[in-house]
Amino acid sequence: MARQTTGKRKRTLSQQQAAWALLAPFLATYCAFLVYPFFKGVWISLHDWNLLAVAMNPAAAKWVGLHNYVHMLWGRNITWGPLSHPLVQLLALAVLAGAFGLHRAGRLSGRSAIPIAIAALLIFLLLGFTPGEGGRWFDRRFWPTVGNTVLFVTLAAPGTTIAALLLAAALNRETRMMAVFRTLFFLSQVLSVTVVTLIWQIMFSPTQGLIDNVIRVFGGSPVSWLTDPHFAMLAIVVTTIWWSLGIAMILFLAGIQDINREIYEAAALDNARGWKSFWFITLPNLKRTITLVVVLQIILHFQVFGQSHLMTQGGPDDRTQVLVRYIYQSAFRDSEIGRASAMAVFLFAIMSVFAVIQFLIGREKSE
Amino acid sequence: MTSKRSYYWLCIALAIPAFIWLVPTLWMVSLSFQPNEVLARTTASTWLGMIPIPFTWDNYAKLFSFGDTPRWFFNSIVVAGGMTLAVLAVSTTAGYALARLEFRFKTAITIFILLGLMVPEQAIFIPLYTMLAKFGWHNSYGALILPRVAVPIGVFLMMQFFKAAPKDIEDAARIDGVGPFQIFWFVMLPLARPAMMTLAILTFLYAWNDYLWPLVSASHKEMFTITLGLASLQSNFAQSEGLGRVMASGVIASLPVVVLFLIFQRYVVQAMTVGGSKG
């Protein structure tokens, strides 16, 4: 009996040691290259920290507390008025009312209605802040950059999601032809951002581009897509949808395959095929997957950098300047890594909200 | 009967968007086979340039006879290969420990690692830069590889796999007095081959295509990866390199990942569904 206990204790002990030995390589790199840099980033953001000056003289980093954050988010004589961005704010109010109405009508559960309502209210409130008379933002470029990033996400995420959903529904058959189509649509996903932007930069070129060549064949006059302020962001969105449709499509295919076949068979007896079965069976059963894909796209597209950096250099007139590119520029062109780090923390804060949402949706299924 | 006919219609209806989807890539390939002198004049020579007539191998020959492309290609292989091996090594061991072994603070460590999923690389590239600059590590393979090894998603994937793996063999081995290292090495690793395959391909694709970190870390031309090198040609493609040559380097840069994807499609798709819904 006694021997058995010691034997057991010895085994658990060695299991302890083995576990730590197996974990050590990962934990070491993880702490060194992810955890430490993360806190270092927060630390840097609390300083007036010039990259070049600090490289010469480590004492040049000056503690400024939250100054970088104030500089980033605030301005002089900022006031609040209800309709400084009338279109977006009215839209936010409409969404707020819609969420409330749908919830009252029992079409929307409180769990989805509350976050939507809060988001709409936040948009309405935050957009109301504007510089009053003689006032201005401390950083004129920050909020427009955030606005561009949000615009990019609001165009690219639904675009990708809708296209991917329709494709997945159409491709949901186990035939060889469909497998070939799936591969085709997924293929662009494995290309690097530089190849993707290389292709599309030339596709969109007013003199050499395929799109303008086609327009010329039909007798139209070419458009310089990437330097036209109306089209630049749209061109980047098209490129992004082309690039990132694959993952969304695969996720939808997986989601559709999880739907019980019998429901379709029962519906077919009631004459629900094609569009009808898509609308009344596929869509309602895919709610969770749709939310997940949208959240994933938001997370992915909020980090957009390469498309804007390589295709338009943020232009024309900063129309396609996005958050990561602004961080990159502030850090490596202007050497202001204190300010850049504050923006990086801002990015992290937004991303983590969506990461938590994603985690909650992911957990719902396993329950 | 009708369903078969409607299937054919569906195929035809899908062929059009599928073709449109493929056009940009085909166009790149086609341009890469056309002489630069022609491209300087027009990119629409035969059928809007979709057919490479006049045809030439010149762009590819030049790409590999001089210039930095071979070097960049080699760098990419070293970086993506090295990163894949390193990620596999640390993720399988850590994933196994978290899924199958009992130890103190296990839950805390798991949460600590999963929290890392929330930190995007775009949020930490500045401190990473200053940190590696302090050691003078930039423009080395180490700097290009190391910061990418600590990806929580790899541990997460392996953890999920090991949790689902059958317990009996392991228990039998344990009763026979086999130590945890041997169990891991001889019993679990062979079982984990498909999951490791998935992780390896995912990592390789990611490493090969990564742009932001090499852009920050590598400033010397000879330490560029092919992705970064291509971007450096891109900005002034018309003047210096010739459109055909840049397109050829684009084809070369994508060839390994495209081939890898076509061979291992099943694993890539698996990785997307697991990583997408959970990570």
Side-chain angles (χ1 to χ4, degrees):
Chain A
M1 192 69 194
R3 190 183 282 165
Q4 232 172 13
T5 359
T6 47
K8 198 170 181 183
R9 181 167 298 156
K10 197 177 162 199
R11 201 171 65 209
T12 38
L13 195 70
S14 74
Q15 213 182 79
Q16 285 261 6
Q17 290 164 334
W20 287 108
L22 288 170
L23 270 170
F26 177 79
L27 281 181
T29 42
Y30 180 66
C31 292
F33 295 107
L34 200 140
V35 179
Y36 172 73
F38 175 74
F39 288 107
K40 181 77 185 282
V42 177
W43 177 249
I44 293 176
S45 77
L46 301 171
H47 289 77
D48 178 10
W49 191 309
N50 185 291
L51 188 60
L52 298 175
V54 175
M56 302 286 186
N57 164 30
K62 209 168 65 208
W63 173 268
V64 292
L66 291 176
H67 174 264
N68 284 326
Y69 292 91
V70 174
H71 181 274
M72 167 173 84
L73 302 169
W74 206 239
R76 203 187 318 129
N77 288 345
I78 300 299
T79 55
W80 192 88
L83 287 176
S84 52
H85 290 75
L87 204 70
V88 188
Q89 280 183 298
L90 286 176
L91 196 73
L93 282 182
V95 171
L96 184 69
F100 189 67
L102 283 175
H103 180 56
R104 283 308 281 285
R107 298 289 295 274
L108 202 62
S109 70
R111 237 170 153 181
S112 355
I114 292 168
I116 293 175
I118 292 177
L121 196 66
L122 269 179
I123 291 174
F124 175 74
L125 288 178
L126 289 179
L127 283 180
F129 288 106
T130 38
E133 217 168 311
R136 68 174 189 86
W137 295 107
F138 291 136
D139 183 345
R140 287 165 204 266
R141 291 177 75 199
F142 178 73
W143 286 117
T145 300
V146 173
N148 290 337
T149 315
V150 171
L151 177 66
F152 173 79
V153 173
T154 45
L155 290 175
T160 313
T161 307
I162 292 168
L165 182 58
L166 292 178
L167 267 180
L171 289 172
N172 182 34
R173 266 160 242 244
E174 297 306 318
T175 64
R176 182 161 290 185
M177 199 60 205
M178 293 297 157
V180 171
F181 282 141
R182 283 182 204 179
T183 308
L184 281 185
F185 283 110
F186 194 83
L187 198 61
S188 46
Q189 185 88 61
V190 302
L191 302 179
S192 69
V193 66
T194 48
V195 171
V196 170
T197 54
L198 169 68
I199 295 175
W200 282 93
Q201 206 180 3
I202 298 166
M203 286 285 285
F204 283 125
S205 154
T207 50
Q208 301 172 299
L210 184 63
I211 295 174
D212 281 337
N213 283 344
V214 172
I215 290 178
R216 253 185 231 111
V217 168
F218 288 103
S221 54
V223 179
S224 28
W225 303 99
L226 293 174
T227 47
D228 187 317
H230 296 106
F231 292 117
M233 183 57 96
L234 215 57
I236 289 181
V237 168
V238 168
T239 307
T240 305
I241 293 177
W242 183 79
W243 185 29
S244 61
L245 182 86
I247 290 182
M249 185 187 75
I250 294 294
L251 288 174
F252 281 134
L253 276 166
I256 290 174
Q257 269 149 29
D258 275 348
I259 301 175
N260 200 336
R261 294 254 98 223
E262 284 166 22
I263 307 178
Y264 283 103
E265 281 157 21
L269 291 178
D270 291 336
N271 245 340
R273 291 196 187 83
W275 276 110
K276 259 190 190 161
S277 80
F278 175 75
W279 188 258
F280 290 110
I281 301 170
T282 312
L283 267 189
N285 281 295
L286 271 184
K287 248 186 206 159
R288 207 190 71 91
T289 316
I290 294 172
T291 327
L292 191 71
V293 169
V294 170
V295 173
L296 268 174
Q297 300 280 335
I298 293 174
I299 294 177
L300 186 75
H301 294 326
F302 233 97
Q303 301 169 43
V304 56
F305 170 67
Q307 293 95 304
S308 138
H309 192 60
L310 290 164
M311 288 175 78
T312 57
Q313 288 83 47
D317 289 341
D318 262 4
R319 284 293 180 102
T320 57
Q321 176 77 318
V322 287
L323 197 52
V324 176
R325 186 166 188 273
Y326 194 30
I327 298 175
Y328 173 81
Q329 271 194 337
S330 311
F332 296 108
R333 193 195 59 187
D334 310 336
S335 298
E336 292 288 349
I337 64 171
R339 262 172 214 177
S341 294
M343 287 189 262
V345 172
F346 178 84
L347 176 73
F348 165 76
I350 292 181
M351 309 292 297
S352 39
V353 170
F354 288 103
V356 168
I357 297 176
Q358 184 201 357
F359 175 75
L360 293 178
I361 306 168
R363 208 183 50 172
E364 231 171 81
K365 191 191 181 183
S366 36
E367 264 168 8
Chain B
M1 194 66 186
T2 31
S3 85
K4 199 159 201 180
R5 191 187 286 165
S6 69
Y7 173 69
Y8 288 132
W9 277 113
L10 183 68
C11 279
I12 295 168
L14 279 168
I16 298 163
F19 176 71
I20 294 174
W21 219 250
L22 209 55
V23 158
T25 320
L26 289 178
W27 198 56
M28 167 175 74
V29 177
S30 170
L31 290 189
S32 75
F33 286 114
Q34 297 179 34
N36 284 311
E37 306 82 67
V38 175
L39 291 180
R41 214 169 50 244
T42 173
T43 52
S45 32
T46 311
W47 286 13
L48 291 164
M50 292 301 292
I51 310 287
I53 300 171
F55 182 90
T56 176
W57 286 105
D58 235 31
N59 295 320
Y60 288 93
K62 279 211 186 97
L63 211 57
F64 278 97
S65 62
F66 62 88
D68 298 311
T69 314
R71 167 83 202 193
W72 294 341
F73 197 81
F74 173 77
N75 288 345
S76 273
I77 289 179
V78 173
V79 170
M83 199 186 326
T84 306
L85 291 179
V87 166
L88 274 184
V90 301
S91 307
T92 44
T93 48
Y96 175 71
L98 290 173
R100 280 307 177 81
L101 298 179
E102 289 307 325
F103 58 97
R104 277 220 276 173
F105 309 121
K106 180 169 155 175
T107 323
I109 297 261
T110 311
I111 293 171
F112 174 60
I113 292 173
L114 290 185
L115 278 178
L117 286 171
M118 286 173 34
V119 181
E121 61 163 319
Q122 285 83 352
I124 58 167
F125 72 91
I126 296 167
L128 267 177
Y129 174 86
T130 59
M131 200 175 113
L132 292 177
K134 206 163 157 193
F135 300 126
W137 277 5
H138 285 297
N139 291 301
S140 72
Y141 290 126
L144 286 170
I145 295 172
L146 271 176
R148 298 293 124 109
V149 173
V151 276
I153 183 78
V155 176
F156 186 66
L157 278 174
M158 293 315 296
M159 203 173 91
Q160 295 291 96
F161 170 79
F162 282 124
K163 264 187 187 159
K167 259 200 159 83
D168 325 6
I169 320 173
E170 200 184 2
D171 287 340
R174 202 167 279 159
I175 289 167
D176 287 347
V178 182
F181 287 111
Q182 281 92 337
I183 293 177
F184 171 67
W185 188 257
F186 293 108
V187 181
M188 294 314 278
L189 270 195
L191 276 179
R193 217 170 276 155
M196 289 170 74
M197 204 63 192
T198 301
L199 179 59
I201 291 160
L202 199 65
T203 312
F204 192 90
L205 286 179
Y206 170 70
W208 188 276
N209 288 338
D210 192 21
Y211 174 54
L212 182 63
W213 179 245
L215 177 67
V216 170
S217 177
S219 51
H220 296 170
K221 231 176 173 177
E222 65 270 22
M223 284 313 292
F224 283 3
T225 58
I226 186 91
T227 309
L228 186 56
L230 188 58
S232 76
L233 296 181
Q234 213 165 312
S235 45
N236 50 353
F237 62 88
Q239 299 86 347
S240 62
E241 296 291 334
L243 188 50
R245 241 185 91 185
V246 186
M247 288 306 202
S249 53
V251 173
I252 292 294
S254 351
L255 217 51
V257 282
V258 169
V259 170
L260 210 66
F261 165 67
L262 290 178
I263 299 174
F264 297 109
Q265 260 191 71
R266 195 159 60 89
Y267 294 105
V268 178
V269 168
Q270 223 159 36
M272 294 301 158
T273 33
V274 176
S277 60
K278 302 273 175 50

